[in-house]
């Protein structure tokens, strides 16, 4: 069995991750890390038409969080101080997740 967290996710986050503060709804803030992309592009091929959207995203290691982030939890990106609300959590099945974000404040 492959230990994705130790062999893949850990080294990638060691190079590209930056500090973030995770605030679960009704919980206490936790300083952790993630790979932030302010302008992630997603392509949806609906009905034969390509629809492109741009959204802020945080790639995370689930092991770096006290719980799986949920919709309406918040993330503050340390580098910019901007706070985002999680609108969707997409698990990848290998110990990572993509958090689709909406900007709350600057």
């Amino acid at each position: 069995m492959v230990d994705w967290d130790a062999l893949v996710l850990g080294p990638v986050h060691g190079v590209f991750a930056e500090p973030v503060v995770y605030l679960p709804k009704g919980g206490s803030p936790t300083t952790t890390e993630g790979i932030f992309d302010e302008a992630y592009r997603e392509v949806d091929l609906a009905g034969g038409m390509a629809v492109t959207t741009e959204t802020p995203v945080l790639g995370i290691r689930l092991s770096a969080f006290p719980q799986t982030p949920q919709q309406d939890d918040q993330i503050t990106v340390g580098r910019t101080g901007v706070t985002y609300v999680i609108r969707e959590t997409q698990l990848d099945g290998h110990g990572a997740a993509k958090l689709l974000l909406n900007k709350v404040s600057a």
Side-chain angles (χ1 to χ4, degrees):
M1 186 159 153
V2 175
D3 183 350
W4 290 95
D5 191 62
L7 297 173
V8 178
L9 301 174
V12 169
H13 280 254
V15 174
F16 296 107
E18 60 184 279
V20 298
V21 175
Y22 168 60
L23 179 59
K25 192 173 183 179
S28 299
T30 302
T31 299
T32 185
E33 65 178 24
I35 300 173
F36 180 71
D37 186 350
E38 189 171 12
Y40 172 77
R41 286 192 179 202
E42 191 167 335
V43 178
D44 184 17
L45 301 174
M49 303 272 306
V51 177
T52 304
T53 57
E54 206 170 83
T55 186
V57 168
L58 185 71
I60 65 163
R61 296 169 59 197
L62 293 172
S63 66
F65 281 70
Q67 64 193 44
T68 301
Q70 301 295 315
Q71 185 176 16
D72 296 328
D73 290 349
Q74 294 187 357
I75 296 286
T76 300
V77 177
R79 170 176 44 96
T80 64
V82 176
T83 300
Y84 298 87
V85 65
I86 298 171
R87 70 176 166 89
E88 185 178 346
T89 298
Q90 297 179 351
L91 304 176
D92 79 347
H94 296 291
K98 178 171 49 175
L99 306 179
L100 304 178
L101 307 171
N102 286 331
K103 191 174 188 178
V104 174
S105 73

